[in-house]
Amino acid sequence: MDWLPKDPRIAEELLRLHDADARSTAERRARGGFKPEENTDDIVRLGSEYLALSPEEGRFVYMMAMGAQARTVVEFGASFGISTLYFAAALKETGGRLITTEVHPDKCAALRDTFARAGVEDIVTLLEGDARETLRQVQGPVDVLFLDGWKSMYLPVLDLLTPALRPGAMVIGDNLDHGSAQPYADHVSDPANGFLTQILGRTGLSVKLA
Ligand SMILES: C[S@@+](CC[C@H](N)C(=O)[O-])C[C@H]1O[C@@H](n2cnc3c(N)ncnc32)[C@H](O)[C@@H]1O
């Protein structure tokens, strides 16, 4: 890992989580990977899977939050908190806050412990439950929206939060190579819907037009 956020408690938690993710991914590969019917939006079955950002992707979302000098970031899909901690590191520097979401109860319990160890409880609010419901309470203006929950829900979550996004807000959609993210990719790729979008590898980077 060539870079980690400078905050020592966040860096230590990230090292632990990346290591645990690598072990869990190796075990899954040894079992033959996901079976086609497992690679679905099945919340309970994937409750022990990290499905997390790589260190490079984590650095990317940190850079986006820092570049935007974000005060409010919203995350759809925390899992065990790897992306969450990269955002929290940036927000510690910008003086901002992060609202994150997770539906799996075991993951929510683990997240609360992680946030305490990393010392970011005052920056991060975890909304436990289905983000399509819990995010209804978000007040704008939102500077950065990160989409990394189940891909078929990207567009409903974006629709829910679009009124709260400030002009120029950034929307980062991970894994747009998944077929179920296509309705979202089509929506943000049409400027008539109020976004300009660049696809970088499998990540969509969109900006909300004024
Ligand atoms: C790809 S993982 C997120 C990985 C995480 N961003 C990271 O980098 O560590 C997707 C997560 O979204 C959660 N999720 C899926 N649908 C959800 C929903 N409707 N509401 C809240 N969380 C959801 C899943 O339980 C899963 O933990």
Side-chain angles (χ1 to χ4, degrees), residues 43 50-53 75-83 101-104 107 129-132 146 148-151 153:
I43 288 159
Y50 279 68
L51 310 167
L53 295 192
E75 174 176 68
F76 169 45
S79 193
F80 287 98
I82 289 184
S83 50
T101 54
E102 179 51 55
V103 73
H104 198 287
K107 287 184 172 180
D130 188 332
R132 291 168 296 178
F146 178 54
D148 198 20
W150 301 150
K151 315 309 158 198
M153 299 174 195

Side-chain angles (χ1 to χ4, degrees), residues 3-24:
W3 181 86
L4 277 172
K6 65 185 179 201
D7 183 283
R9 290 174 69 185
I10 295 178
E12 193 179 330
E13 276 307 296
L14 278 171
L15 276 174
R16 183 184 71 75
L17 289 168
H18 278 306
D19 187 52
D21 176 30
R23 277 186 280 115
S24 147

Side-chain angles (χ1 to χ4, degrees), residues 67-106:
Q69 283 295 290
R71 304 288 302 185
T72 301
V73 174
V74 175
E75 174 176 68
F76 169 45
S79 193
F80 287 98
I82 289 184
S83 50
T84 317
L85 289 185
Y86 282 100
F87 277 120
L91 293 166
K92 225 171 180 171
E93 297 185 50
T94 64
R97 64 177 178 139
L98 170 64
I99 298 162
T100 191
T101 54
E102 179 51 55
V103 73
H104 198 287
D106 295 349

